[in-house]
Amino acid sequence: MVQIVIWVSIIHGFFPKLYHIAPLEKLMTGSAGYSEQVSDLITRSAGVGEIIFGLCLFVFYKHKHLVALNILALMGLLLAVVVMQPQLLIEAFNPVTTNLPLIGLSVIWLKEIEQLNNRYL
């Protein structure tokens, strides 16, 4: 379960943002009013950030604050789509079908960390 959350973070940072900027990524940053060049830079920077965050989750997988930050970030990203591009919520591959399961897995992960910490008290 932990590996799924980490893997998705790294993959979502690399393929749709760095390797080839996906049209929906362009739509999201473009809808904020940025030029195409600035939009691409923001998207690629977000991709680098997601990969770094995924690697941090991999290294510090027992730190509940980092997992809680992951939950908040996923909720924030979902909220950003609701506000900026609500029509994306009904697309075949949308933030609801990716973020909600990752939030659920992260909540389970967080509870496992807390159980582990309680065992050693």
Side-chain angles (χ1 to χ4, degrees):
M1 169 207 40
V2 173
Q3 295 88 351
I4 292 171
V5 176
I6 292 167
W7 184 246
V8 168
S9 180
I10 292 170
I11 292 299
H12 275 243
F14 181 71
F15 285 104
K17 294 180 181 80
L18 292 176
Y19 181 73
H20 172 72
I21 297 179
L24 290 180
E25 296 292 343
K26 284 185 180 188
L27 178 66
M28 283 298 298
T29 53
S31 67
Y34 298 111
S35 69
E36 187 175 340
Q37 293 158 340
V38 172
S39 181
D40 284 356
L41 179 64
I42 290 170
T43 301
R44 290 186 189 284
S45 298
V48 170
E50 281 186 61
I51 292 169
I52 290 170
F53 190 74
L55 293 173
C56 286
L57 286 171
F58 178 74
V59 172
F60 304 108
Y61 67 95
K62 291 183 181 179
H63 292 277
K64 65 181 181 180
H65 293 88
L66 194 58
V67 178
L69 181 61
N70 184 52
I71 294 168
L72 291 174
L74 289 166
M75 291 169 63
L77 291 169
L78 185 57
L79 183 62
V81 173
V82 168
V83 171
M84 295 174 66
Q85 294 291 333
Q87 76 277 7
L88 295 181
L89 299 173
I90 58 171
E91 292 291 326
F93 298 101
N94 63 62
V96 174
T97 60
T98 53
N99 287 26
L100 288 183
L102 290 173
I103 290 168
L105 288 173
S106 295
V107 168
I108 294 168
W109 181 6
L110 191 59
K111 289 182 185 223
E112 285 184 3
I113 292 171
E114 289 172 354
Q115 285 177 352
L116 270 174
N117 289 340
N118 289 338
R119 249 187 243 165
Y120 297 111
L121 291 179

